[in-house]
Amino acid sequence: MAERITVDPVTRIEGHLRVDCDIKDGKITNAWASGQMWRGLEIILKGRDPREAWLFAQRICGVCTTVHAITSVRAVENALNMEIPLNAQYIRNIIIAAHGIHDHIVHFYHLSALDWVDIVSALKADPKAASTLAQSLSPWPNNGVQKFKAVQDKMKKFVESGQLGIFANGYWGHPAMKLPPEVNLIATAHYLEAFEYQRKANQIVSILGSKTPHIQNLAVGGVANPINPDSQSALNMERLAYVKALMVELEDFIRNVYLVDLAVVGGLYADWLPYGRGVTNYLSVPDFPMDTKGTKFWTMGGYIPNNDLNKFQPITSFNDPIFKNGVKESIKHSWYEGDWTRHPYEEDTVPKYTDFQHDGKYSWVKAPTFNGEPAQVGPLANVLAMYVAGHKPTQKYAKLVLEKIGAIAKTDVGLDALHSTLGRHATRCIRANVLYDILLENYNALIGNIANGDMDAYNPPDFPKGEQTGFGFHEAPRGTLSHWVVIKDGKIKNYQCVVPSTWNAGPRNQEDKHGPYEASLIGNPVADLEKPLEVLRTLHSFDPCMACAIHLHDQKKTNIVHFNHTHGV
Ligand code: NFE
Ligand code: MG
């Protein structure tokens, strides 16, 4: 007999996710992922001026704020067949690279490290031993005894006062927590430092985007702020020098802290490498355009069906027909009117809530498919695509990360280990390191272009009469994001967003196949039904954002876990 548990809401994510699992003999045998709130940005956008769509669309989320802005202008530019000045491409690229790095740091440390790191155990650590260990792994200057002692004293004060603050409600002492106290102390210290470094990445976004969250510097056709190296009120050399200073600090943290911590956690939890595989159709898109049209890119993407790297189909331009024709969404199990599978241009969004029906409709998330199949998106999909496409920086950092994990685990860890809960963390770290290289290349390209006297940053759009369709995509921190727009006589007739967390959090599709969250939970161990830490580990590895998945908003809920005892499931 299986026992059903409901985790609602899942915390340390954005938005409201409910997950139901059937558990038998200590393992998950079935799962349902349910997005729990809906707002309807797609409806709000109808009838509006396509030039302002991005300002609304980026309010879909307060976490991946820039990504909907970028994708929205790309969709409208695609509908109008526009070219974008090189400076604008570079500025956008720097913004999205910095945003991606910020997002990956926050995810690893602040949203998921505590699934693996036991803060309370860190109190028992010997700061000297922690320092010796940390210094043997990395040249990071803040790994001294005094630093670790100070962090430990700070944590002791928290615990003695009975106020764990941001560390309250962790599953401390859980049997699945395996790190030695010294490693827990190192990770706790870096958790706190990571707040500073994610902020530096976000400062780059705010300098070039004029504000964060929710940048203000975009426009359909380019970017809105003028470039003038000598003007105080434009993008000038002083601002660009500040961006460079932030980049240098960021690089040190990504290479010498994030990468090392990831390898330590991955290596010491090698027993977790078999868990969390799930859907192995992988979708990602190329990004960081190098030209004005979006036909050459710094990063690659494509579709890998059924984990067969030999069947990789590259996606190669902002007009790629493989992508354009491959995406559909189904609502058989989602709280919308009807039961259809449609291409985004043909979709509608008509909410119709019923109760949670395990065999029927149970989520606000639609179920996207690529060529008719559920697909996993995210850094894992993107790293696999870039690896097979021969992207040198990806191969370099992937080999480095796998070698380091293997050295700590004292076993060979190959590419196949990446199809897992820990693999999603490892590939996010690989991608953060790749993003840094791209950030630097775009920074140098922008400086070079300005030095050559090119100050162009905007081409004005022109809306003809009649109907145009367009799509824009972006490889966002959580994976492939696309916006699809139908424009009629200069106004939005239909607007659909197919978002990374929609791909991954989607419910069963039209053929009742599990979405990626659901599939990856099946087979996971659960040691303590009242503290389903393992469920959180696997869910968090996707970095869920339900605000994006359903384009929704916030509501208070209190229960964390409750049980339904069901029979014979
Ligand atoms: Ni709200 Fe997002 C990203 C988008 S969603 S975080 O990355 O798009 O999954
Ligand atoms: Mg949508």
Side-chain angles (χ1 to χ4, degrees):
M1 188 174 101
E3 200 152 15
R4 187 168 294 167
I5 65 165
T6 302
V7 184
D8 179 20
V10 175
T11 54
R12 290 204 185 235
I13 65 165
E14 158 62 47
H16 292 282
L17 172 65
R18 161 180 169 171
V19 168
D20 291 29
C21 297
D22 281 347
I23 298 175
K24 199 173 176 192
D25 302 330
K27 292 225 169 198
I28 298 173
T29 55
N30 205 352
W32 292 257
S34 169
Q36 288 281 299
M37 269 291 297
W38 183 78
R39 190 170 65 187
L41 258 291
E42 290 164 344
I43 296 173
I44 290 169
L45 282 161
K46 272 193 174 181
R48 292 191 181 273
D49 187 322
R51 287 172 300 184
E52 65 179 20
W54 66 275
L55 285 157
F56 289 87
Q58 75 169 333
R59 264 70 187 181
I60 285 172
C61 187
V63 174
C64 62
T65 63
T66 60
V67 310
H68 292 285
I70 295 275
T71 310
S72 179
V73 294
R74 284 181 179 172
V76 177
E77 288 158 0
N78 179 263
L80 302 179
N81 208 9
M82 289 183 74
E83 290 192 42
I84 306 308
L86 276 180
N87 285 330
Q89 297 287 44
Y90 298 148
I91 289 169
R92 291 178 182 184
N93 288 350
I94 295 170
I95 290 173
I96 58 184
H99 173 263
I101 293 169
H102 143 83
D103 194 290
H104 291 344
I105 294 173
V106 169
H107 179 259
F108 180 69
Y109 287 99
H110 307 127
L111 299 181
S112 50
L114 302 187
D115 298 345
W116 310 90
V117 172
D118 189 332
I119 298 274
V120 174
S121 146
L123 301 181
K124 293 185 292 210
D126 170 7
K128 189 155 183 309
S131 172
T132 306
L133 174 64
Q135 289 180 354
S136 75
L137 295 166
S138 164
W140 183 243
N142 293 345
N143 283 339
V145 183
Q146 292 311 319
K147 173 79 184 179
F148 289 138
K149 178 91 180 51
V151 168
Q152 199 179 41
D153 288 346
K154 192 173 183 175
M155 294 312 300
K156 271 188 186 145
K157 273 201 199 124
F158 265 128
V159 173
E160 279 160 13
S161 73
Q163 294 180 338
L164 272 169
I166 51 172
F167 301 123
N169 296 328
Y171 289 148
W172 317 128
H174 191 283
M177 291 286 197
K178 298 260 169 69
L179 298 180
E182 283 70 29
V183 176
N184 283 319
L185 179 57
I186 296 168
T188 305
H190 295 168
Y191 177 108
L192 296 171
E193 273 186 303
F195 282 121
E196 299 302 316
Y197 287 86
Q198 61 82 25
R199 194 162 54 111
K200 291 182 201 297
N202 227 349
Q203 270 179 289
I204 297 173
V205 177
S206 66
I207 290 167
L208 292 171
S210 303
K211 172 178 169 292
T212 190
H214 301 126
I215 56 173
Q216 296 297 302
N217 184 30
L218 275 190
V220 169
V223 292
N225 288 358
I227 300 169
N228 183 339
D230 306 316
S231 166
Q232 282 303 311
S233 49
L235 180 59
N236 57 35
M237 291 324 280
E238 183 270 331
R239 292 283 85 188
L240 286 166
Y242 189 28
V243 167
K244 185 65 193 284
L246 290 163
M247 284 167 56
V248 170
E249 291 188 86
L250 202 52
E251 179 176 21
D252 203 6
F253 188 82
I254 299 165
R255 313 276 200 230
N256 294 323
V257 183
Y258 183 9
L259 194 148
V260 176
D261 288 347
L262 178 281
V264 170
V265 170
L268 294 177
Y269 278 106
D271 61 323
W272 253 77
L273 287 171
Y275 299 124
R277 193 176 178 96
V279 171
T280 54
N281 303 312
Y282 294 104
L283 177 67
S284 65
V285 286
D287 213 318
F288 303 97
M290 292 175 161
D291 60 357
T292 58
K293 281 188 164 169
T295 60
K296 285 200 214 112
F297 298 89
W298 261 281
T299 59
M300 294 136 178
Y303 184 57
I304 301 169
N306 199 18
N307 185 26
D308 189 346
L309 297 185
N310 297 320
K311 296 214 174 116
F312 172 63
Q313 292 175 269
I315 292 167
T316 57
S317 86
F318 278 159
N319 270 315
D320 196 299
I322 293 177
F323 188 80
K324 183 178 174 179
N325 300 324
V327 178
K328 289 204 169 68
E329 291 193 294
S330 129
I331 57 163
K332 181 173 177 187
H333 293 284
S334 314
W335 288 314
Y336 299 95
E337 182 80 51
D339 174 4
W340 44 249
T341 300
R342 290 184 190 163
H343 186 273
Y345 290 146
E346 314 295 329
E347 279 185 46
D348 57 28
T349 302
V350 184
K352 188 180 181 209
Y353 182 73
T354 58
D355 212 348
F356 190 108
Q357 304 163 334
H358 284 91
D359 294 326
K361 291 182 182 261
Y362 62 90
S363 178
W364 285 113
V365 185
K366 293 175 177 174
T369 52
F370 197 77
N371 296 344
E373 295 293 326
Q376 182 180 159
V377 301
L380 171 55
N382 193 218
V383 162
L384 290 174
M386 294 202 282
Y387 196 97
V388 69
H391 190 248
K392 291 280 178 290
T394 302
Q395 293 180 337
K396 179 175 99 180
Y397 295 116
K399 282 181 186 145
L400 183 65
V401 164
L402 291 172
E403 260 170 39
K404 278 187 186 286
I405 294 176
I408 290 164
K410 298 195 174 63
T411 173
D412 278 348
V413 178
L415 211 56
D416 204 50
L418 295 177
H419 307 275
S420 62
T421 293
L422 281 171
R424 281 183 281 275
H425 286 296
T427 46
R428 196 171 287 110
C429 177
I430 293 164
R431 188 166 180 272
N433 279 275
V434 171
L435 286 180
Y436 184 82
D437 288 10
I438 288 160
L439 175 61
L440 183 60
E441 290 198 37
N442 275 278
Y443 180 86
N444 290 339
L446 177 64
I447 299 284
N449 212 39
I450 293 172
N452 283 339
D454 180 358
M455 304 293 156
D456 281 357
Y458 174 66
N459 292 331
D462 183 22
F463 291 89
K465 280 258 169 242
E467 194 167 295
Q468 303 91 35
T469 55
F471 67 101
F473 59 63
H474 166 43
E475 189 62 24
R478 285 154 206 77
T480 298
L481 166 64
S482 57
H483 287 195
W484 306 74
V485 64
V486 181
I487 301 169
K488 177 129 191 262
D489 298 333
K491 294 269 186 282
I492 294 172
K493 186 176 161 201
N494 195 8
Y495 201 99
Q496 293 289 329
C497 312
V498 186
V499 181
S501 292
T502 314
W503 286 98
N504 287 339
R508 287 151 176 74
N509 72 0
Q510 69 279 4
E511 292 168 1
D512 303 325
K513 289 188 184 167
H514 290 106
Y517 288 6
E518 298 174 338
S520 66
L521 283 167
I522 294 170
N524 277 212
V526 177
D528 179 348
L529 288 187
E530 303 226 7
K531 292 180 177 169
L533 174 63
E534 299 88 343
V535 173
L536 294 184
R537 282 184 176 172
T538 289
L539 288 173
H540 284 162
S541 72
F542 288 95
D543 195 0
C545 177
M546 307 317 291
C548 277
I550 325 163
H551 340 313
L552 56 63
H553 78 159
D554 219 41
Q555 187 199 35
K556 283 236 177 328
K557 291 234 183 150
T558 47
N559 293 342
I560 304 289
V561 183
H562 62 264
F563 297 90
N564 293 319
H565 296 268
T566 55
H567 304 281
V569 182

